[in-house]
Amino acid sequence: MNDGESAAPKRAAAARMIGLLAICGAAMPGGARANAAADSAAADTETMEAITVTARKRDESLATVPVSITVFTGEALENYNIQSFTDYATKTPNVSFSYGGGPTGIADARTVAIRGITGQNLYGTAGATGFYIDDTPVPGSVDPRVLDIDNIEVLKGPQGTLFGESSLGGNVRLITKKPNLSKDEFSFTTQAGWTSGGGSADGGGSVIGNLVLVPDKLALRTVLFFNHDAGYLTRTFPDPASPAVTDPNLAAPRTRVGNQGAVSTFGGSLAALLRVTENFDATLRVMFQNTTDHGFPATFAPLPAFTPDYTLNRAFDVQPRASDVWALP
């Protein structure tokens, strides 16, 4: 009896030990996987690229700025092939716009509303949304070519504290790339295409170069570009001796001229960066752009059907033209 009674507790203890070892053996792989997953997540967090913005006049991480901002990084600009205001404005939440009614009174001028806020000042010279190239304000008629841009920041308003007038709705800021002080760079792009109903071919090209004059001290960066978008409208007019000159509703033979609305743009920039100290950089930049419109670059869609009319019937043979030339010294 004594031997049997002493053996029972020993067998029970051995069974508990075996069960404990089995549990530990089953838990160890899961624990290892959990640790590996935690290490992988930490590594992904450490390698995640931070988006830097200058919305508050200093470099900050987008995640820490207490302002509603939509940012297009350089990678996003390339992936979406963003080249003009229309390209990025149509991809920005809470932004609406129309052409032809801007504060400058120019056909290409924009009326922009961010979160529904729009309007003009007392003199009609500025709207409710400001446009900036770096920290320089530009008028609403200017549509800078999106090239060699570090990022685009769309700030929801009001932003009057930091940007003053024309910032009630918000601001659109194009932040250009700075010259690289460490290495020379050179790149070029070419493109070609065709517009349905267009009167000419589409095409363009650009060249970007960076030259280090004094390593870590002085560098130059230059950009040159050209672009042509075909016109897809057709202008018609009667013979000068035809009665249709005075009566547009009269059926008469008309001469047709295509490629109306074609837009040609060329320009460039030159920037110099001097690093005076580790905490002080001096940048000098000159930019220019010339845009020529061969006719108004938009179709007319009359109410109530709101159907686009791609034919412009005119009484006389007068070719509309417009140009927009600007420079930032």
Side-chain angles (χ1 to χ4, degrees):
M1 288 294 293
N2 293 337
D3 292 340
E5 291 176 356
S6 62
K10 291 180 179 178
R11 286 194 297 269
R16 287 196 297 270
M17 183 62 69
I18 293 172
L20 180 60
L21 291 175
I23 293 174
C24 291
M28 285 179 63
R33 287 193 297 269
N35 292 335
D39 293 341
S40 176
D44 293 341
T45 303
E46 291 176 358
T47 59
M48 185 180 295
E49 181 181 358
I51 299 177
T52 302
V53 296
T54 57
R56 297 197 297 175
K57 303 292 186 178
R58 57 181 180 268
D59 293 341
E60 296 177 292
S61 172
L62 176 62
T64 62
V65 178
V67 179
S68 179
I69 309 175
T70 299
V71 179
F72 294 90
T73 63
E75 182 179 359
L77 297 176
E78 182 178 356
N79 292 340
Y80 288 114
N81 191 29
I82 292 177
Q83 300 181 1
S84 64
F85 169 81
T86 304
D87 294 335
Y88 60 83
T90 53
K91 298 175 178 63
T92 305
N94 303 318
V95 172
S96 59
F97 63 94
S98 62
Y99 282 95
T104 56
I106 301 174
D108 284 348
R110 303 175 296 265
T111 300
V112 181
I114 298 180
R115 295 198 288 201
I117 301 176
T118 185
Q120 299 181 10
N121 64 3
L122 180 63
Y123 303 100
T125 57
T129 302
F131 292 86
Y132 289 79
I133 299 177
D134 292 328
D135 290 318
T136 303
V138 296
S141 62
V142 172
D143 188 4
R145 182 76 171 176
V146 180
L147 183 65
D148 202 37
I149 298 296
D150 188 63
N151 62 63
I152 296 177
E153 302 174 4
V154 181
L155 285 64
K156 310 304 190 298
Q159 295 289 336
T161 301
L162 291 176
F163 296 94
E165 187 184 25
S166 302
S167 299
L168 182 63
N171 287 293
V172 178
R173 305 182 67 225
L174 276 66
I175 310 301
T176 60
K177 289 185 178 180
K178 296 181 179 180
N180 192 329
L181 295 173
S182 59
K183 64 177 181 178
D184 296 336
E185 298 174 337
F186 176 80
S187 64
F188 70 93
T189 61
T190 59
Q191 58 183 3
W194 186 263
T195 299
S196 176
S200 58
D202 301 323
S206 63
V207 176
I208 301 174
N210 188 95
L211 178 62
V212 178
L213 300 180
V214 180
D216 298 325
K217 287 292 184 182
L218 179 63
L220 295 177
R221 191 175 188 89
T222 183
V223 177
L224 294 173
F225 68 89
F226 171 79
N227 187 77
H228 176 77
D229 293 326
Y232 53 89
L233 305 178
T234 301
R235 177 173 58 90
T236 70
F237 58 91
D239 184 89
S242 171
V245 172
T246 57
D247 187 358
N249 297 319
L250 182 66
R254 304 179 72 89
T255 303
R256 301 173 63 88
V257 179
N259 205 34
Q260 301 299 297
V263 180
S264 298
T265 305
F266 69 89
S269 66
L270 177 64
L273 174 61
L274 174 63
R275 175 153 295 171
V276 182
T277 67
E278 288 297 326
N279 299 318
F280 181 76
D281 291 343
T283 304
L284 175 65
R285 175 176 283 109
V286 178
M287 305 179 69
F288 76 96
Q289 181 172 302
N290 187 323
T291 301
T292 302
D293 295 327
H294 185 75
F296 188 69
T299 187
F300 179 59
L303 297 173
F306 205 66
T307 301
D309 187 359
Y310 299 101
T311 301
L312 309 173
N313 295 320
R314 299 291 184 260
F316 302 99
D317 181 15
V318 178
Q319 175 59 58
R321 285 187 173 85
S323 63
D324 185 14
V325 182
W326 59 269
L328 291 179

